[in-house]
mmCIF file of all heavy atoms in Angstrom:
data_model
loop_
_atom_site.group_PDB
_atom_site.id
_atom_site.type_symbol
_atom_site.label_atom_id
_atom_site.label_comp_id
_atom_site.label_asym_id
_atom_site.label_seq_id
_atom_site.Cartn_x
_atom_site.Cartn_y
_atom_site.Cartn_z
ATOM 1 N N GLY A 626 98.671 137.647 110.677
ATOM 2 C CA GLY A 626 100.098 137.495 110.552
ATOM 3 C C GLY A 626 100.447 136.458 109.550
ATOM 4 O O GLY A 626 101.325 136.714 108.664
ATOM 5 N N ILE A 627 99.704 135.291 109.455
ATOM 6 C CA ILE A 627 100.018 134.236 108.554
ATOM 7 C C ILE A 627 99.731 134.815 107.151
ATOM 8 O O ILE A 627 100.506 134.556 106.274
ATOM 9 C CB ILE A 627 99.144 133.015 108.772
ATOM 10 C CG1 ILE A 627 99.489 132.385 110.054
ATOM 11 C CG2 ILE A 627 99.242 131.998 107.626
ATOM 12 C CD1 ILE A 627 98.537 131.290 110.509
ATOM 13 N N THR A 628 98.650 135.512 106.939
ATOM 14 C CA THR A 628 98.338 136.106 105.551
ATOM 15 C C THR A 628 99.354 137.006 105.161
ATOM 16 O O THR A 628 99.671 136.873 103.954
ATOM 17 C CB THR A 628 96.933 136.814 105.685
ATOM 18 O OG1 THR A 628 96.075 135.935 106.219
ATOM 19 C CG2 THR A 628 96.497 137.337 104.299
ATOM 20 N N ARG A 629 99.972 137.879 106.028
ATOM 21 C CA ARG A 629 100.958 138.810 105.528
ATOM 22 C C ARG A 629 102.229 137.982 105.147
ATOM 23 O O ARG A 629 102.794 138.330 104.195
ATOM 24 C CB ARG A 629 101.290 139.776 106.650
ATOM 25 C CG ARG A 629 100.270 140.787 106.951
ATOM 26 C CD ARG A 629 100.563 141.718 108.134
ATOM 27 N NE ARG A 629 99.525 142.593 108.418
ATOM 28 C CZ ARG A 629 99.553 143.851 107.902
ATOM 29 N NH1 ARG A 629 100.565 144.326 107.224
ATOM 30 N NH2 ARG A 629 98.596 144.652 108.175
ATOM 31 N N VAL A 630 102.558 136.923 105.949
ATOM 32 C CA VAL A 630 103.824 136.113 105.697
ATOM 33 C C VAL A 630 103.718 135.399 104.296
ATOM 34 O O VAL A 630 104.625 135.268 103.606
ATOM 35 C CB VAL A 630 104.112 135.152 106.819
ATOM 36 C CG1 VAL A 630 105.022 134.102 106.437
ATOM 37 C CG2 VAL A 630 104.495 135.911 108.125
ATOM 38 N N ILE A 631 102.516 134.829 104.084
ATOM 39 C CA ILE A 631 102.355 134.117 102.846
ATOM 40 C C ILE A 631 102.693 134.917 101.641
ATOM 41 O O ILE A 631 103.412 134.385 100.691
ATOM 42 C CB ILE A 631 100.846 133.622 102.704
ATOM 43 C CG1 ILE A 631 100.454 132.465 103.608
ATOM 44 C CG2 ILE A 631 100.507 133.340 101.268
ATOM 45 C CD1 ILE A 631 99.005 132.066 103.739
ATOM 46 N N ASN A 632 102.444 136.196 101.650
ATOM 47 C CA ASN A 632 102.708 136.960 100.439
ATOM 48 C C ASN A 632 104.108 137.526 100.426
ATOM 49 O O ASN A 632 104.488 138.332 99.556
ATOM 50 C CB ASN A 632 101.760 138.079 100.463
ATOM 51 C CG ASN A 632 100.237 137.647 100.181
ATOM 52 O OD1 ASN A 632 100.055 136.827 99.382
ATOM 53 N ND2 ASN A 632 99.283 138.363 100.926
ATOM 54 N N HIS A 633 104.894 137.152 101.470
ATOM 55 C CA HIS A 633 106.339 137.687 101.416
ATOM 56 C C HIS A 633 107.198 136.437 101.804
ATOM 57 O O HIS A 633 107.684 136.248 102.916
ATOM 58 C CB HIS A 633 106.441 138.730 102.564
ATOM 59 C CG HIS A 633 105.808 139.993 102.215
ATOM 60 N ND1 HIS A 633 104.373 140.147 102.436
ATOM 61 C CD2 HIS A 633 106.185 141.152 101.648
ATOM 62 C CE1 HIS A 633 104.022 141.308 102.103
ATOM 63 N NE2 HIS A 633 105.104 141.896 101.551
ATOM 64 N N PRO A 634 107.517 135.772 100.674
ATOM 65 C CA PRO A 634 108.413 134.447 100.942
ATOM 66 C C PRO A 634 109.861 135.008 101.491
ATOM 67 O O PRO A 634 110.231 136.095 101.253
ATOM 68 C CB PRO A 634 108.678 133.937 99.547
ATOM 69 C CG PRO A 634 107.390 134.426 98.728
ATOM 70 C CD PRO A 634 107.057 135.673 99.323
ATOM 71 N N ALA A 635 110.332 134.129 102.357
ATOM 72 C CA ALA A 635 111.645 134.423 103.038
ATOM 73 C C ALA A 635 112.734 134.612 101.939
ATOM 74 O O ALA A 635 112.713 133.942 100.879
ATOM 75 C CB ALA A 635 112.001 133.247 103.902
ATOM 76 N N GLU A 636 113.507 135.472 102.255
ATOM 77 C CA GLU A 636 114.713 135.805 101.273
ATOM 78 C C GLU A 636 116.038 135.698 101.993
ATOM 79 O O GLU A 636 116.065 135.786 103.292
ATOM 80 C CB GLU A 636 114.607 137.113 100.705
ATOM 81 C CG GLU A 636 113.351 137.405 99.852
ATOM 82 C CD GLU A 636 113.313 138.874 99.352
ATOM 83 O OE1 GLU A 636 114.153 139.796 99.755
ATOM 84 O OE2 GLU A 636 112.365 139.098 98.434
ATOM 85 N N PRO A 637 117.133 135.388 101.347
ATOM 86 C CA PRO A 637 118.335 135.292 101.970
ATOM 87 C C PRO A 637 118.776 136.668 102.632
ATOM 88 O O PRO A 637 118.417 137.719 102.168
ATOM 89 C CB PRO A 637 119.381 135.082 100.813
ATOM 90 C CG PRO A 637 118.541 134.393 99.769
ATOM 91 C CD PRO A 637 117.240 135.050 99.809
ATOM 92 N N ASN A 638 119.437 136.645 103.770
ATOM 93 C CA ASN A 638 119.815 137.799 104.364
ATOM 94 C C ASN A 638 121.285 138.208 103.865
ATOM 95 O O ASN A 638 122.322 137.468 104.173
ATOM 96 C CB ASN A 638 119.992 137.658 105.999
ATOM 97 C CG ASN A 638 120.468 138.892 106.713
ATOM 98 O OD1 ASN A 638 120.806 139.885 106.036
ATOM 99 N ND2 ASN A 638 120.507 138.608 108.009
ATOM 100 N N PRO A 639 121.503 139.276 103.131
ATOM 101 C CA PRO A 639 122.724 139.624 102.537
ATOM 102 C C PRO A 639 123.867 139.988 103.481
ATOM 103 O O PRO A 639 124.950 140.056 103.240
ATOM 104 C CB PRO A 639 122.419 140.737 101.589
ATOM 105 C CG PRO A 639 121.169 141.329 102.131
ATOM 106 C CD PRO A 639 120.412 140.215 102.715
ATOM 107 N N ASN A 640 123.382 140.253 104.826
ATOM 108 C CA ASN A 640 124.253 140.734 105.840
ATOM 109 C C ASN A 640 124.531 139.637 106.872
ATOM 110 O O ASN A 640 125.198 139.806 107.885
ATOM 111 C CB ASN A 640 123.650 141.954 106.523
ATOM 112 C CG ASN A 640 123.464 143.127 105.659
ATOM 113 O OD1 ASN A 640 124.340 143.471 104.894
ATOM 114 N ND2 ASN A 640 122.218 143.849 105.728
ATOM 115 N N TRP A 641 124.171 138.401 106.515
ATOM 116 C CA TRP A 641 124.354 137.375 107.486
ATOM 117 C C TRP A 641 125.783 137.025 107.741
ATOM 118 O O TRP A 641 126.610 137.058 106.695
ATOM 119 C CB TRP A 641 123.681 135.998 106.926
ATOM 120 C CG TRP A 641 123.452 135.052 107.915
ATOM 121 C CD1 TRP A 641 122.387 134.884 108.921
ATOM 122 C CD2 TRP A 641 124.316 133.860 108.222
ATOM 123 N NE1 TRP A 641 122.421 133.816 109.698
ATOM 124 C CE2 TRP A 641 123.660 133.126 109.286
ATOM 125 C CE3 TRP A 641 125.376 133.288 107.604
ATOM 126 C CZ2 TRP A 641 124.056 131.892 109.756
ATOM 127 C CZ3 TRP A 641 125.856 132.141 108.074
ATOM 128 C CH2 TRP A 641 125.272 131.433 109.148
ATOM 129 N N ASP A 642 126.319 136.850 108.834
ATOM 130 C CA ASP A 642 127.607 136.704 109.273
ATOM 131 C C ASP A 642 127.809 135.382 109.808
ATOM 132 O O ASP A 642 127.418 135.069 110.907
ATOM 133 C CB ASP A 642 128.047 137.901 110.322
ATOM 134 C CG ASP A 642 129.542 137.866 110.678
ATOM 135 O OD1 ASP A 642 130.173 136.800 110.231
ATOM 136 O OD2 ASP A 642 129.781 138.727 111.434
ATOM 137 N N ALA A 643 128.604 134.432 109.183
ATOM 138 C CA ALA A 643 128.821 133.223 109.579
ATOM 139 C C ALA A 643 129.697 132.984 110.823
ATOM 140 O O ALA A 643 129.617 132.036 111.559
ATOM 141 C CB ALA A 643 129.510 132.335 108.536
ATOM 142 N N THR A 644 130.444 134.030 111.246
ATOM 143 C CA THR A 644 131.179 134.161 112.441
ATOM 144 C C THR A 644 130.327 134.600 113.676
ATOM 145 O O THR A 644 130.669 134.426 114.837
ATOM 146 C CB THR A 644 132.505 135.122 112.342
ATOM 147 O OG1 THR A 644 131.961 136.484 112.107
ATOM 148 C CG2 THR A 644 133.360 134.597 111.148
ATOM 149 N N HIS A 645 129.191 135.256 113.399
ATOM 150 C CA HIS A 645 128.134 135.586 114.366
ATOM 151 C C HIS A 645 126.744 135.276 113.927
ATOM 152 O O HIS A 645 126.040 136.067 113.475
ATOM 153 C CB HIS A 645 128.318 137.051 114.737
ATOM 154 C CG HIS A 645 129.586 137.462 115.259
ATOM 155 N ND1 HIS A 645 130.613 137.869 114.535
ATOM 156 C CD2 HIS A 645 130.030 137.421 116.641
ATOM 157 C CE1 HIS A 645 131.677 138.150 115.359
ATOM 158 N NE2 HIS A 645 131.384 137.899 116.592
ATOM 159 N N PRO A 646 126.512 133.963 113.680
ATOM 160 C CA PRO A 646 125.195 133.631 113.032
ATOM 161 C C PRO A 646 123.955 134.011 113.730
ATOM 162 O O PRO A 646 123.823 133.763 114.854
ATOM 163 C CB PRO A 646 125.381 132.104 112.967
ATOM 164 C CG PRO A 646 126.285 131.698 114.008
ATOM 165 C CD PRO A 646 127.239 132.788 114.104
ATOM 166 N N ASP A 647 123.030 134.551 112.912
ATOM 167 C CA ASP A 647 121.749 134.964 113.394
ATOM 168 C C ASP A 647 120.854 133.809 113.209
ATOM 169 O O ASP A 647 120.518 133.300 112.149
ATOM 170 C CB ASP A 647 121.203 136.191 112.588
ATOM 171 C CG ASP A 647 119.862 136.580 113.018
ATOM 172 O OD1 ASP A 647 119.334 136.140 113.862
ATOM 173 O OD2 ASP A 647 119.321 137.304 112.155
ATOM 174 N N PRO A 648 120.189 133.305 114.440
ATOM 175 C CA PRO A 648 119.385 132.121 114.258
ATOM 176 C C PRO A 648 118.068 132.322 113.448
ATOM 177 O O PRO A 648 117.462 131.365 112.929
ATOM 178 C CB PRO A 648 119.015 131.836 115.736
ATOM 179 C CG PRO A 648 120.082 132.429 116.517
ATOM 180 C CD PRO A 648 120.426 133.677 115.801
ATOM 181 N N ALA A 649 117.672 133.509 113.279
ATOM 182 C CA ALA A 649 116.397 133.903 112.714
ATOM 183 C C ALA A 649 116.456 134.005 111.155
ATOM 184 O O ALA A 649 115.514 134.070 110.502
ATOM 185 C CB ALA A 649 115.783 135.124 113.296
ATOM 186 N N THR A 650 117.733 134.156 110.582
ATOM 187 C CA THR A 650 117.844 134.420 109.127
ATOM 188 C C THR A 650 119.047 133.517 108.650
ATOM 189 O O THR A 650 119.633 132.758 109.449
ATOM 190 C CB THR A 650 118.191 135.789 108.752
ATOM 191 O OG1 THR A 650 119.478 136.181 109.433
ATOM 192 C CG2 THR A 650 117.153 136.723 109.307
ATOM 193 N N SER A 651 119.386 133.623 107.332
ATOM 194 C CA SER A 651 120.357 132.808 106.887
ATOM 195 C C SER A 651 120.925 133.261 105.532
ATOM 196 O O SER A 651 120.334 134.232 104.932
ATOM 197 C CB SER A 651 119.852 131.385 106.638
ATOM 198 O OG SER A 651 120.875 130.463 105.996
ATOM 199 N N THR A 652 121.909 132.778 104.920
ATOM 200 C CA THR A 652 122.270 132.980 103.498
ATOM 201 C C THR A 652 121.277 132.293 102.557
ATOM 202 O O THR A 652 121.305 132.573 101.345
ATOM 203 C CB THR A 652 123.714 132.440 103.183
ATOM 204 O OG1 THR A 652 123.715 131.074 103.562
ATOM 205 C CG2 THR A 652 124.732 133.158 104.017
ATOM 206 N N ALA A 653 120.536 131.446 103.090
ATOM 207 C CA ALA A 653 119.384 130.800 102.463
ATOM 208 C C ALA A 653 118.069 131.536 102.612
ATOM 209 O O ALA A 653 118.007 132.341 103.413
ATOM 210 C CB ALA A 653 119.263 129.312 102.826
ATOM 211 N N PRO A 654 117.036 131.211 101.752
ATOM 212 C CA PRO A 654 115.717 131.861 101.982
ATOM 213 C C PRO A 654 114.902 131.293 103.022
ATOM 214 O O PRO A 654 114.060 130.479 102.888
ATOM 215 C CB PRO A 654 115.047 131.611 100.639
ATOM 216 C CG PRO A 654 115.682 130.291 100.008
ATOM 217 C CD PRO A 654 117.123 130.285 100.548
ATOM 218 N N PHE A 655 115.371 131.659 104.247
ATOM 219 C CA PHE A 655 114.939 131.070 105.578
ATOM 220 C C PHE A 655 114.595 132.195 106.423
ATOM 221 O O PHE A 655 115.521 133.160 106.661
ATOM 222 C CB PHE A 655 116.008 130.168 106.137
ATOM 223 C CG PHE A 655 115.807 129.809 107.489
ATOM 224 C CD1 PHE A 655 115.173 128.609 107.823
ATOM 225 C CD2 PHE A 655 116.454 130.368 108.544
ATOM 226 C CE1 PHE A 655 114.918 128.206 109.163
ATOM 227 C CE2 PHE A 655 116.366 129.958 109.876
ATOM 228 C CZ PHE A 655 115.614 128.936 110.123
#
C-alpha cells in the first residue's frame, strides 16, 4: 500500500465542499 501511495501524490479534491467538509480530502493536495 505504501508503495502504491508513493507513486500517487495527493491532489486537491475539485468537489470539496466547505459547507460539508470531507475530513479525508481538501482543496489542498491532502
Side-chain angles (χ1 to χ4, degrees):
I627 293 171
T628 303
R629 288 175 182 266
V630 166
I631 285 172
N632 294 323
H633 293 83
E636 297 179 351
N638 177 3
N640 299 315
W641 198 81
D642 182 356
T644 61
H645 298 90
D647 172 14
T650 64
S651 175
T652 55
F655 165 88

